[in-house]
Amino acid sequence: MSYFPDSPSQNLHAFAFSHGRAEHSRMAHKPVVIWMTGISASGKSTIADALDVALRKKGRMTAIIDGDSVRGGLCRDLGFTEGDRDENIRRVAEVARLMLEAGLTVIVALISPSSASRHCARSIIGNAFFVEVHVDAPLETAEQRDPKGLYKKARAGLIKHFTGIDARYDLPVFPEVHLDTRALSVERSVETLLDWLAHNHDRT
Ligand code: ADP
């Protein structure tokens, strides 16, 4: 039987590579995937960047997967229909899983609007390694920030299927961490995440 039940091929078999997750248990910092979800301009990339700097200072090996850069390369064949968004998230989750296996702490900054697709990402990565972070800002706040001018374009009808305007965002129900970026500075958000990791994932 195939080891990858969702794959169309029945002839795939997972090789038992010597370096695996069991080896991670000996590392000071357990590799995890920090999955930042939230509407556009909620602060995902800004916090991801600051968190990355802070984690590297603490000796973690990190990688950032940012929605925009993925859409320019790995997922450039995908659009913004629900099906394409789900596929975008599935691919990112698979890449994050490979990075995790390599021992990295992976920071994903992706709107990931549907709870079903976030659930899918969690199951690809594994519950014990998945830290869902809701980077939260009300639509009005995000729209005022609008650093890339995308809300303006969406309101003018120049972008279709824009999350919060004409595409839905499912609020995370039980994220591991909730960051209200109206109330928290970028620095406080990073401290909140570092505290959470220290209590749940660090061994030093
Ligand atoms: P996203 O990646 O969620 O689309 P960005 O990080 O690209 O969002 O943009 C968020 C914008 O909001 C940036 O211009 C950032 O400087 C600004 N901002 C203002 N206050 C905050 C805050 N407390 N936390 C995060 N970003 C903030």
Side-chain angles (χ1 to χ4, degrees):
M1 202 193 71
S2 169
Y3 283 88
F4 300 96
D6 295 334
S7 165
S9 171
Q10 293 303 300
N11 301 311
L12 303 174
H13 296 272
F15 186 86
F17 289 104
S18 309
H19 176 94
R21 291 190 188 192
E23 199 156 309
H24 295 164
S25 63
R26 288 193 285 280
M27 296 167 74
H29 306 288
K30 179 173 141 189
V32 285
V33 176
I34 299 165
W35 191 284
M36 297 199 180
T37 170
I39 59 174
S40 182
S42 60
K44 300 179 297 297
S45 304
T46 305
I47 295 169
D49 182 45
L51 177 66
D52 183 58
V53 171
L55 286 174
R56 278 174 178 259
K57 274 194 192 142
K58 287 183 170 288
R60 277 191 185 248
M61 293 288 289
T62 58
I64 298 182
I65 308 180
D66 185 74
D68 281 0
S69 59
V70 166
R71 283 205 168 267
L74 177 70
C75 300
R76 68 179 173 200
D77 55 320
L78 301 175
F80 288 86
T81 62
E82 268 188 44
D84 277 4
R85 279 171 174 249
D86 288 350
E87 175 59 11
N88 184 45
I89 289 161
R90 190 194 67 78
R91 287 186 201 173
V92 168
E94 291 287 358
V95 172
R97 182 176 69 85
L98 293 173
M99 289 177 163
L100 179 83
E101 304 282 356
L104 296 176
T105 293
V106 188
I107 306 167
V108 176
L110 202 63
I111 297 174
S112 31
S114 86
S115 52
S117 64
R118 295 193 298 263
H119 182 76
C120 167
R122 187 184 286 272
S123 65
I124 287 169
I125 287 156
N127 194 41
F129 301 87
F130 190 84
V131 184
E132 185 175 333
V133 179
H134 182 198
V135 181
D136 193 7
L139 184 62
E140 312 82 79
T141 305
E143 208 165 345
Q144 275 163 17
R145 292 178 183 162
D146 204 11
K148 300 173 225 162
L150 298 178
Y151 283 99
K152 216 169 166 200
K153 282 190 186 165
R155 289 286 184 200
L158 300 173
I159 307 176
K160 300 283 177 216
H161 308 298
F162 196 77
T163 307
I165 307 292
D166 59 351
R168 71 173 209 281
Y169 178 79
D170 296 340
L171 287 173
V173 183
F174 294 118
E176 274 77 9
V177 182
H178 174 257
L179 302 173
D180 176 355
T181 66
R182 248 183 337 176
L184 297 175
S185 65
V186 175
E187 295 71 27
R188 279 295 299 142
S189 286
V190 169
E191 277 167 28
T192 304
L193 289 165
L194 292 178
D195 281 353
W196 193 92
L197 288 172
H199 283 105
N200 294 281
H201 282 279
D202 286 351
R203 293 188 180 78
T204 50

